[in-house]
Amino acid sequence: MEGYIRLDRFIDLETSFEQLLAQIQGAPMTATCWKWSLIAAHSALQSAVCIALRGSAGFDTWKPSHLKKWLAAYENGEDLPDPFVRVFRRLAQLASWM
């Protein structure tokens, strides 16, 4: 898909932790530092959950409708669409079953 940013889960996890560390080391901790700390922590957690659920193919992290489209395109020899990752709440539910 054109115009979308592609992220590597492992690099995103590492960068999110780096951003979290940079924000919590700020002195004094302002409301803005707390805001970006929470965003970085959320991003790190989501990346870690995606890595844990990825398995060999990563299908567990995809939205079901995107998985169906991808599998149909694969079976028909068509261009493969870019899948979208499930919402964080669902990823967390899936991770709790591990």
Side-chain angles (χ1 to χ4, degrees), residues 56-73:
S56 61
F59 295 143
D60 288 342
T61 62
W62 296 0
K63 289 184 177 182
S65 61
H66 290 263
L67 176 57
K68 286 181 185 178
K69 290 177 189 175
W70 190 93
L71 290 173

Side-chain angles (χ1 to χ4, degrees), residues 44-84:
L45 181 58
Q46 183 165 356
S47 295
V49 169
C50 284
I51 290 168
L53 291 174
R54 189 166 177 357
S56 61
F59 295 143
D60 288 342
T61 62
W62 296 0
K63 289 184 177 182
S65 61
H66 290 263
L67 176 57
K68 286 181 185 178
K69 290 177 189 175
W70 190 93
L71 290 173
Y74 179 80
E75 289 175 0
N76 295 323
E78 301 169 356
D79 289 338
L80 300 176
D82 289 326
F84 284 70

